Amino acid sequence: MPPSEVQPDPFFELGGDFQWNAYVGRQSDATAYSDGFMEAALLMTNAVIDGKLMGNRDTLVMPILYNTRHGVELTLKDAVRQLHRMGLLREGPAIDHDVALPWRQLDEGRFGDNELREIIATLEPYVRSLSRVDADGQSFRYAHRTDEEVSMADRSLVNLLRIRDSLLPLKEQLRFLRWRVAELFDERAIGSFTTECSRRDLVAIASRLPPRSEWASDDFDIAKAAIREKYGL
């Protein structure tokens, strides 16, 4: 194409079919970023496997892994940020690419919510795997690290089917994490919580207790012991 026919801005000049205009900047948000990277990883994986694009296995595997890692990092950091704003975490997210750090902040936090603790626990194997192979966000982006060492020098193969089987539940758990943090925000806005239990926990605890008339019975003592163990009371 002759230079005179090139658009003034080849990437950000609007034109053509307006239906393909995409929201960015002030019309975007943190969810669009984190979801986008996870969706990109899954779309690329499906394209290679379902399309039997054998020649693209080696070239697309690193973008797949990087997008997965970055999507996880962004979702965890956003959860830390929101919980910090609610006063449930002492510190907000760090300004680095350590994917394990925001998970540890969540894991060590005291939110008074059993469901959130369970979601955080399900994310541990994914975060541990990504952090073990790429602790600082270099190995999935560059063939050589800043110290000139070969990235992922201790391994030579990964399996895309295995990656796809992991991406699906990972994406779902990240969505659950975002939803539960949003629900906690709503609960705290109306004051329906205690320092040790969220509103959902309180409802669950109430459903496990025997009728008030039986609170002097052995059944009440058994239920109380089970509740205290489950909710750390």
Side-chain angles (χ1 to χ4, degrees):
M1 177 183 295
S4 61
E5 297 182 22
V6 177
Q7 292 290 329
D9 187 326
F11 295 109
F12 299 101
E13 187 80 14
L14 293 180
D17 189 343
F18 72 91
Q19 295 183 88
W20 291 103
N21 288 348
Y23 291 145
V24 298
R26 61 179 178 271
Q27 296 199 96
S28 186
D29 56 26
T31 299
Y33 275 72
S34 54
D35 279 355
F37 282 101
M38 288 301 301
E39 289 169 5
L42 191 54
L43 284 170
M44 283 189 287
T45 307
N46 285 334
V48 174
I49 294 173
D50 297 340
K52 301 187 185 304
L53 306 177
M54 299 304 186
N56 295 110
R57 288 172 301 178
D58 302 333
T59 56
L60 289 181
V61 65
M62 301 319 297
I64 289 168
L65 289 171
Y66 171 74
N67 277 278
T68 299
R69 187 193 189 284
H70 199 53
V72 171
E73 178 188 338
L74 291 179
T75 305
L76 294 176
K77 284 184 173 179
D78 190 53
V80 170
R81 184 178 298 107
Q82 298 303 325
L83 291 167
H84 175 60
R85 288 174 178 172
M86 288 182 234
L88 295 175
L89 284 177
R90 288 180 297 177
E91 298 181 358
I95 305 176
D96 60 24
H97 293 290
D98 181 351
V99 71
L101 177 57
W103 182 84
R104 288 197 301 271
Q105 288 178 273
L106 294 172
D107 184 54
E108 295 169 2
R110 297 185 62 83
F111 314 113
D113 185 68
N114 188 65
E115 182 175 353
L116 182 56
R117 288 194 299 268
E118 290 178 349
I119 295 170
I120 293 167
T122 64
L123 291 170
E124 181 179 10
Y126 304 103
V127 174
R128 187 173 61 245
S129 175
L130 293 167
S131 180
R132 183 172 58 245
V133 177
D134 188 354
D136 57 5
Q138 291 190 60
S139 294
F140 296 157
R141 288 189 291 169
Y142 308 112
H144 292 81
R145 300 169 54 81
T146 54
D147 57 9
E148 295 303 319
E149 293 293 325
V150 174
S151 293
M152 300 176 66
D154 62 336
R155 62 193 68 229
S156 57
L157 293 171
V158 297
N159 186 278
L160 287 175
L161 288 172
R162 173 70 171 176
I163 290 173
R164 181 165 68 174
D165 288 344
S166 297
L167 281 174
L168 293 169
L170 170 59
K171 183 180 178 182
E172 183 174 82
Q173 289 303 317
L174 292 174
R175 186 170 64 249
F176 290 159
L177 173 64
R178 185 181 301 113
W179 286 349
R180 188 58 197 140
V181 170
E183 288 172 340
L184 279 178
F185 179 83
D186 292 339
E187 288 180 12
R188 298 186 77 80
I190 59 176
S192 58
F193 63 94
T194 71
T195 56
E196 296 179 303
C197 294
S198 66
R199 182 179 186 277
R200 181 169 296 185
D201 285 349
L202 294 175
V203 171
I205 288 171
S207 69
R208 297 181 62 173
L209 291 172
R212 181 67 180 83
S213 59
E214 299 177 16
W215 280 18
S217 67
D218 291 340
D219 288 343
F220 176 79
D221 292 336
I222 293 171
K224 181 174 71 173
I227 289 168
R228 294 185 65 175
E229 181 179 358
K230 180 176 178 64
Y231 294 92
L233 303 176

mmCIF file of all heavy atoms in Angstrom, residues 103-129:
data_model
loop_
_atom_site.group_PDB
_atom_site.id
_atom_site.type_symbol
_atom_site.label_atom_id
_atom_site.label_comp_id
_atom_site.label_asym_id
_atom_site.label_seq_id
_atom_site.Cartn_x
_atom_site.Cartn_y
_atom_site.Cartn_z
ATOM 1 N N TRP A 103 -2.922 -13.296 45.633
ATOM 2 C CA TRP A 103 -3.629 -14.472 46.146
ATOM 3 C C TRP A 103 -3.325 -14.650 47.631
ATOM 4 O O TRP A 103 -4.234 -14.944 48.418
ATOM 5 C CB TRP A 103 -3.231 -15.741 45.390
ATOM 6 C CG TRP A 103 -4.000 -16.927 45.905
ATOM 7 C CD1 TRP A 103 -5.253 -17.316 45.529
ATOM 8 C CD2 TRP A 103 -3.601 -17.811 46.959
ATOM 9 N NE1 TRP A 103 -5.651 -18.406 46.267
ATOM 10 C CE2 TRP A 103 -4.659 -18.734 47.147
ATOM 11 C CE3 TRP A 103 -2.452 -17.922 47.738
ATOM 12 C CZ2 TRP A 103 -4.599 -19.749 48.103
ATOM 13 C CZ3 TRP A 103 -2.390 -18.936 48.695
ATOM 14 C CH2 TRP A 103 -3.457 -19.838 48.860
ATOM 15 N N ARG A 104 -2.059 -14.457 48.039
ATOM 16 C CA ARG A 104 -1.715 -14.587 49.458
ATOM 17 C C ARG A 104 -2.442 -13.540 50.291
ATOM 18 O O ARG A 104 -2.885 -13.828 51.419
ATOM 19 C CB ARG A 104 -0.205 -14.466 49.653
ATOM 20 C CG ARG A 104 0.588 -15.666 49.161
ATOM 21 C CD ARG A 104 1.991 -15.683 49.741
ATOM 22 N NE ARG A 104 2.743 -14.481 49.392
ATOM 23 C CZ ARG A 104 3.477 -14.355 48.285
ATOM 24 N NH1 ARG A 104 3.542 -15.359 47.406
ATOM 25 N NH2 ARG A 104 4.140 -13.242 48.041
ATOM 26 N N GLN A 105 -2.557 -12.330 49.771
ATOM 27 C CA GLN A 105 -3.290 -11.299 50.491
ATOM 28 C C GLN A 105 -4.734 -11.728 50.727
ATOM 29 O O GLN A 105 -5.282 -11.520 51.824
ATOM 30 C CB GLN A 105 -3.272 -9.982 49.711
ATOM 31 C CG GLN A 105 -1.935 -9.269 49.693
ATOM 32 C CD GLN A 105 -1.982 -8.008 48.861
ATOM 33 O OE1 GLN A 105 -1.767 -8.026 47.645
ATOM 34 N NE2 GLN A 105 -2.285 -6.896 49.505
ATOM 35 N N LEU A 106 -5.339 -12.316 49.719
ATOM 36 C CA LEU A 106 -6.714 -12.793 49.865
ATOM 37 C C LEU A 106 -6.790 -13.977 50.824
ATOM 38 O O LEU A 106 -7.680 -14.054 51.669
ATOM 39 C CB LEU A 106 -7.278 -13.188 48.502
ATOM 40 C CG LEU A 106 -7.460 -12.057 47.483
ATOM 41 C CD1 LEU A 106 -7.838 -12.632 46.119
ATOM 42 C CD2 LEU A 106 -8.503 -11.068 47.952
ATOM 43 N N ASP A 107 -5.846 -14.892 50.695
ATOM 44 C CA ASP A 107 -5.863 -16.097 51.517
ATOM 45 C C ASP A 107 -5.657 -15.776 52.995
ATOM 46 O O ASP A 107 -6.221 -16.441 53.867
ATOM 47 C CB ASP A 107 -4.768 -17.056 51.032
ATOM 48 C CG ASP A 107 -4.789 -18.375 51.779
ATOM 49 O OD1 ASP A 107 -5.859 -19.022 51.810
ATOM 50 O OD2 ASP A 107 -3.741 -18.768 52.336
ATOM 51 N N GLU A 108 -4.862 -14.766 53.276
ATOM 52 C CA GLU A 108 -4.562 -14.404 54.663
ATOM 53 C C GLU A 108 -5.557 -13.404 55.234
ATOM 54 O O GLU A 108 -5.509 -13.091 56.427
ATOM 55 C CB GLU A 108 -3.142 -13.836 54.744
ATOM 56 C CG GLU A 108 -2.065 -14.863 54.398
ATOM 57 C CD GLU A 108 -0.696 -14.245 54.208
ATOM 58 O OE1 GLU A 108 -0.578 -13.001 54.393
ATOM 59 O OE2 GLU A 108 0.246 -14.979 53.883
ATOM 60 N N GLY A 109 -6.448 -12.892 54.390
ATOM 61 C CA GLY A 109 -7.411 -11.898 54.863
ATOM 62 C C GLY A 109 -8.484 -12.508 55.750
ATOM 63 O O GLY A 109 -8.802 -13.690 55.651
ATOM 64 N N ARG A 110 -9.045 -11.678 56.589
ATOM 65 C CA ARG A 110 -10.141 -12.101 57.472
ATOM 66 C C ARG A 110 -11.382 -11.315 57.059
ATOM 67 O O ARG A 110 -11.570 -10.171 57.465
ATOM 68 C CB ARG A 110 -9.786 -11.842 58.938
ATOM 69 C CG ARG A 110 -8.579 -12.646 59.405
ATOM 70 C CD ARG A 110 -8.332 -12.456 60.893
ATOM 71 N NE ARG A 110 -9.440 -12.920 61.706
ATOM 72 C CZ ARG A 110 -9.637 -14.182 62.079
ATOM 73 N NH1 ARG A 110 -8.792 -15.117 61.696
ATOM 74 N NH2 ARG A 110 -10.685 -14.518 62.817
ATOM 75 N N PHE A 111 -12.208 -11.961 56.228
ATOM 76 C CA PHE A 111 -13.362 -11.280 55.656
ATOM 77 C C PHE A 111 -14.662 -11.611 56.364
ATOM 78 O O PHE A 111 -15.681 -10.981 56.112
ATOM 79 C CB PHE A 111 -13.518 -11.656 54.174
ATOM 80 C CG PHE A 111 -12.236 -11.602 53.400
ATOM 81 C CD1 PHE A 111 -11.665 -12.758 52.898
ATOM 82 C CD2 PHE A 111 -11.587 -10.405 53.189
ATOM 83 C CE1 PHE A 111 -10.487 -12.712 52.185
ATOM 84 C CE2 PHE A 111 -10.403 -10.346 52.492
ATOM 85 C CZ PHE A 111 -9.849 -11.504 51.988
ATOM 86 N N GLY A 112 -14.632 -12.638 57.205
ATOM 87 C CA GLY A 112 -15.881 -13.070 57.805
ATOM 88 C C GLY A 112 -16.857 -13.591 56.777
ATOM 89 O O GLY A 112 -18.068 -13.341 56.867
ATOM 90 N N ASP A 113 -16.364 -14.329 55.783
ATOM 91 C CA ASP A 113 -17.255 -14.872 54.761
ATOM 92 C C ASP A 113 -16.724 -16.216 54.295
ATOM 93 O O ASP A 113 -15.674 -16.311 53.664
ATOM 94 C CB ASP A 113 -17.351 -13.919 53.570
ATOM 95 C CG ASP A 113 -18.369 -14.412 52.547
ATOM 96 O OD1 ASP A 113 -19.579 -14.404 52.856
ATOM 97 O OD2 ASP A 113 -17.957 -14.831 51.450
ATOM 98 N N ASN A 114 -17.471 -17.264 54.596
ATOM 99 C CA ASN A 114 -17.025 -18.613 54.301
ATOM 100 C C ASN A 114 -16.958 -18.888 52.806
ATOM 101 O O ASN A 114 -16.025 -19.532 52.318
ATOM 102 C CB ASN A 114 -17.966 -19.636 54.957
ATOM 103 C CG ASN A 114 -17.444 -21.044 54.846
ATOM 104 O OD1 ASN A 114 -16.402 -21.370 55.404
ATOM 105 N ND2 ASN A 114 -18.158 -21.887 54.128
ATOM 106 N N GLU A 115 -17.934 -18.392 52.029
ATOM 107 C CA GLU A 115 -17.942 -18.652 50.590
ATOM 108 C C GLU A 115 -16.724 -18.030 49.909
ATOM 109 O O GLU A 115 -16.101 -18.642 49.042
ATOM 110 C CB GLU A 115 -19.215 -18.120 49.945
ATOM 111 C CG GLU A 115 -19.284 -18.425 48.450
ATOM 112 C CD GLU A 115 -20.593 -18.018 47.823
ATOM 113 O OE1 GLU A 115 -21.507 -17.610 48.568
ATOM 114 O OE2 GLU A 115 -20.720 -18.114 46.591
ATOM 115 N N LEU A 116 -16.365 -16.821 50.306
ATOM 116 C CA LEU A 116 -15.195 -16.172 49.717
ATOM 117 C C LEU A 116 -13.928 -16.957 50.040
ATOM 118 O O LEU A 116 -13.066 -17.139 49.168
ATOM 119 C CB LEU A 116 -15.078 -14.734 50.221
ATOM 120 C CG LEU A 116 -13.927 -13.909 49.644
ATOM 121 C CD1 LEU A 116 -13.981 -13.877 48.121
ATOM 122 C CD2 LEU A 116 -13.950 -12.498 50.215
ATOM 123 N N ARG A 117 -13.824 -17.451 51.264
ATOM 124 C CA ARG A 117 -12.655 -18.265 51.628
ATOM 125 C C ARG A 117 -12.568 -19.516 50.758
ATOM 126 O O ARG A 117 -11.479 -19.921 50.333
ATOM 127 C CB ARG A 117 -12.719 -18.653 53.111
ATOM 128 C CG ARG A 117 -12.446 -17.518 54.077
ATOM 129 C CD ARG A 117 -12.184 -18.034 55.480
ATOM 130 N NE ARG A 117 -13.341 -18.753 56.009
ATOM 131 C CZ ARG A 117 -14.305 -18.175 56.724
ATOM 132 N NH1 ARG A 117 -14.266 -16.876 56.954
ATOM 133 N NH2 ARG A 117 -15.313 -18.871 57.196
ATOM 134 N N GLU A 118 -13.703 -20.142 50.485
ATOM 135 C CA GLU A 118 -13.713 -21.355 49.669
ATOM 136 C C GLU A 118 -13.306 -21.055 48.226
ATOM 137 O O GLU A 118 -12.567 -21.836 47.610
ATOM 138 C CB GLU A 118 -15.099 -21.996 49.709
ATOM 139 C CG GLU A 118 -15.448 -22.601 51.070
ATOM 140 C CD GLU A 118 -16.847 -23.190 51.110
ATOM 141 O OE1 GLU A 118 -17.624 -22.939 50.149
ATOM 142 O OE2 GLU A 118 -17.178 -23.888 52.095
ATOM 143 N N ILE A 119 -13.778 -19.944 47.677
ATOM 144 C CA ILE A 119 -13.405 -19.571 46.312
ATOM 145 C C ILE A 119 -11.903 -19.320 46.227
ATOM 146 O O ILE A 119 -11.230 -19.783 45.282
ATOM 147 C CB ILE A 119 -14.184 -18.324 45.858
ATOM 148 C CG1 ILE A 119 -15.673 -18.633 45.766
ATOM 149 C CG2 ILE A 119 -13.652 -17.820 44.513
ATOM 150 C CD1 ILE A 119 -16.544 -17.408 45.564
ATOM 151 N N ILE A 120 -11.377 -18.594 47.183
ATOM 152 C CA ILE A 120 -9.937 -18.298 47.195
ATOM 153 C C ILE A 120 -9.128 -19.588 47.261
ATOM 154 O O ILE A 120 -8.112 -19.737 46.577
ATOM 155 C CB ILE A 120 -9.600 -17.370 48.383
ATOM 156 C CG1 ILE A 120 -10.237 -15.995 48.167
ATOM 157 C CG2 ILE A 120 -8.093 -17.235 48.554
ATOM 158 C CD1 ILE A 120 -10.246 -15.119 49.398
ATOM 159 N N ALA A 121 -9.599 -20.540 48.054
ATOM 160 C CA ALA A 121 -8.887 -21.819 48.183
ATOM 161 C C ALA A 121 -8.869 -22.586 46.863
ATOM 162 O O ALA A 121 -7.866 -23.215 46.509
ATOM 163 C CB ALA A 121 -9.527 -22.671 49.277
ATOM 164 N N THR A 122 -9.959 -22.528 46.091
ATOM 165 C CA THR A 122 -10.000 -23.266 44.822
ATOM 166 C C THR A 122 -9.019 -22.690 43.800
ATOM 167 O O THR A 122 -8.606 -23.387 42.868
ATOM 168 C CB THR A 122 -11.407 -23.242 44.198
ATOM 169 O OG1 THR A 122 -11.776 -21.901 43.862
ATOM 170 C CG2 THR A 122 -12.433 -23.830 45.150
ATOM 171 N N LEU A 123 -8.632 -21.423 43.964
ATOM 172 C CA LEU A 123 -7.717 -20.785 43.016
ATOM 173 C C LEU A 123 -6.254 -21.110 43.297
ATOM 174 O O LEU A 123 -5.390 -20.860 42.450
ATOM 175 C CB LEU A 123 -7.912 -19.263 43.052
ATOM 176 C CG LEU A 123 -9.242 -18.749 42.492
ATOM 177 C CD1 LEU A 123 -9.411 -17.268 42.808
ATOM 178 C CD2 LEU A 123 -9.323 -18.983 40.995
ATOM 179 N N GLU A 124 -5.967 -21.670 44.450
ATOM 180 C CA GLU A 124 -4.573 -21.896 44.835
ATOM 181 C C GLU A 124 -3.771 -22.729 43.832
ATOM 182 O O GLU A 124 -2.667 -22.335 43.446
ATOM 183 C CB GLU A 124 -4.487 -22.546 46.215
ATOM 184 C CG GLU A 124 -3.036 -22.786 46.657
ATOM 185 C CD GLU A 124 -2.941 -23.414 48.026
ATOM 186 O OE1 GLU A 124 -3.977 -23.847 48.576
ATOM 187 O OE2 GLU A 124 -1.807 -23.488 48.559
ATOM 188 N N PRO A 125 -4.259 -23.893 43.362
ATOM 189 C CA PRO A 125 -3.431 -24.691 42.441
ATOM 190 C C PRO A 125 -3.117 -23.972 41.137
ATOM 191 O O PRO A 125 -2.023 -24.125 40.585
ATOM 192 C CB PRO A 125 -4.256 -25.957 42.206
ATOM 193 C CG PRO A 125 -5.643 -25.619 42.622
ATOM 194 C CD PRO A 125 -5.517 -24.592 43.700
ATOM 195 N N TYR A 126 -4.042 -23.165 40.636
ATOM 196 C CA TYR A 126 -3.791 -22.420 39.404
ATOM 197 C C TYR A 126 -2.722 -21.346 39.628
ATOM 198 O O TYR A 126 -1.796 -21.201 38.829
ATOM 199 C CB TYR A 126 -5.080 -21.751 38.919
ATOM 200 C CG TYR A 126 -6.226 -22.701 38.701
ATOM 201 C CD1 TYR A 126 -7.265 -22.797 39.617
ATOM 202 C CD2 TYR A 126 -6.281 -23.513 37.564
ATOM 203 C CE1 TYR A 126 -8.328 -23.665 39.417
ATOM 204 C CE2 TYR A 126 -7.338 -24.381 37.349
ATOM 205 C CZ TYR A 126 -8.359 -24.451 38.286
ATOM 206 O OH TYR A 126 -9.407 -25.319 38.077
ATOM 207 N N VAL A 127 -2.862 -20.605 40.711
ATOM 208 C CA VAL A 127 -1.898 -19.540 41.013
ATOM 209 C C VAL A 127 -0.528 -20.130 41.299
ATOM 210 O O VAL A 127 0.495 -19.620 40.825
ATOM 211 C CB VAL A 127 -2.389 -18.696 42.210
ATOM 212 C CG1 VAL A 127 -1.330 -17.677 42.616
ATOM 213 C CG2 VAL A 127 -3.698 -18.000 41.866
ATOM 214 N N ARG A 128 -0.504 -21.221 42.053
ATOM 215 C CA ARG A 128 0.780 -21.845 42.386
ATOM 216 C C ARG A 128 1.488 -22.320 41.131
ATOM 217 O O ARG A 128 2.707 -22.136 40.982
ATOM 218 C CB ARG A 128 0.548 -23.017 43.342
ATOM 219 C CG ARG A 128 1.849 -23.627 43.868
ATOM 220 C CD ARG A 128 1.585 -24.658 44.936
ATOM 221 N NE ARG A 128 0.787 -25.763 44.444
ATOM 222 C CZ ARG A 128 -0.440 -26.058 44.852
ATOM 223 N NH1 ARG A 128 -1.033 -25.300 45.756
ATOM 224 N NH2 ARG A 128 -1.094 -27.094 44.356
ATOM 225 N N SER A 129 0.761 -22.908 40.200
ATOM 226 C CA SER A 129 1.360 -23.393 38.959
ATOM 227 C C SER A 129 1.924 -22.246 38.130
ATOM 228 O O SER A 129 3.067 -22.298 37.663
ATOM 229 C CB SER A 129 0.310 -24.162 38.146
ATOM 230 O OG SER A 129 0.816 -24.552 36.900
#
